[in-house]
Amino acid sequence: MGWNDSPLCKEAIQQLSTYQFNKETYDIFVSSDLKRCLSTINLLFPHVDPLTLRELREINFGIFQGKTYEELKERKEYQQWLNNMLTYSPPGGENFSQFTKRVEKGWNRLVDTMVQQDYRKAFIVTHGGVIRYLLDKLSPCEKEFWEWEILHGTGYVLTFNWNQLRRGAHCISLQEVPLTGSEPG
């Protein structure tokens, strides 16, 4: 979906409405600025005012936004992008390097806020590509970006040593948490 500011579908709204989380478990709530993420966090935590970070948006696919593989497979620009995602930007979009720098900037803003406010637990709602990148960068597991399978309805708990988080180190533990009708763990 990229930067398309699409609303959540009815099924997602119904599913998210069944989840029950205790907002007191978290110190800070963070969301991408796109509607689907803001709607998600508002359904999960109706009375919170999340820190909204534009830097946590999905990669900008430019003119490829909203198109299927079938629609794009014959386009020269699309083939160039598939062959060199790190440095080739889709027209009107961003390349992988630009995407990762933006996400890192947002992550660093969040960490700075957490350190300044002495927050220990953040609940973050963002997009699959952002989650993949953060897992690739911060997880103790050795996986490449595309090896991370990011499923809808699944969260990840990254546990950090506080001092290591401030220095940008990997988390010390990673747990995949399927969202259910009640709060995980």
Side-chain angles (χ1 to χ4, degrees):
M1 290 183 129
W3 282 25
N4 287 349
D5 206 7
S6 308
L8 292 172
C9 66
K10 288 181 184 178
E11 295 83 7
I13 293 170
Q14 290 172 343
Q15 184 66 43
L16 288 166
S17 297
T18 66
Y19 299 151
Q20 297 175 2
F21 291 96
N22 179 357
K23 75 176 187 174
E24 304 306 319
T25 303
Y26 306 97
D27 300 312
I28 186 171
F29 301 85
V30 184
S31 177
S32 156
D33 67 331
L34 294 179
K35 284 181 198 170
R36 57 191 184 269
C37 287
L38 289 169
S39 295
T40 297
I41 205 162
N42 287 324
L43 285 165
L44 296 174
F45 300 98
H47 304 290
V48 301
D49 183 24
L51 170 64
T52 304
L53 296 176
R54 180 180 173 92
E55 296 93 342
L56 296 185
R57 284 184 175 198
E58 184 61 273
I59 192 167
N60 184 346
F61 296 112
I63 64 169
F64 303 155
Q65 299 279 128
K67 304 264 194 281
T68 66
Y69 173 76
E70 289 301 316
E71 293 173 297
L72 294 170
K73 67 181 180 182
E74 302 298 326
R75 293 189 67 165
K76 179 182 170 191
E77 303 100 338
Y78 185 67
Q79 291 303 318
Q80 287 177 297
W81 180 67
L82 287 178
N83 292 328
N84 195 3
M85 286 184 188
L86 290 178
T87 59
Y88 182 80
S89 300
E94 64 187 343
N95 64 42
F96 189 74
S97 179
Q98 292 166 324
F99 164 71
T100 60
K101 285 178 184 169
R102 175 174 50 79
V103 172
E104 282 189 35
K105 182 179 174 187
W107 175 255
N108 291 336
R109 279 185 60 196
L110 172 57
V111 170
D112 288 347
T113 299
M114 291 181 71
V115 168
Q116 290 168 7
Q117 301 296 321
D118 197 31
Y119 292 153
R120 301 295 172 132
K121 288 190 172 186
F123 193 100
I124 304 169
V125 177
T126 189
H127 309 273
V130 175
I131 295 168
R132 262 191 193 98
Y133 177 69
L134 291 174
L135 289 173
D136 183 44
K137 175 182 167 40
L138 301 171
S139 170
C141 303
E142 293 290 327
K143 284 188 180 183
E144 295 294 324
F145 178 85
W146 291 111
E147 291 180 276
W148 292 100
E149 184 177 9
I150 310 302
L151 303 173
H152 290 280
T154 301
Y156 297 88
V157 176
L158 285 74
T159 305
F160 290 88
N161 170 294
W162 186 242
N163 290 323
Q164 290 176 329
L165 172 65
R166 293 169 33 170
R167 290 193 307 266
H170 284 67
C171 67
I172 55 175
S173 133
L174 169 68
Q175 180 182 9
E176 185 175 312
V177 183
L179 299 180
T180 61
S182 61
E183 183 142 4

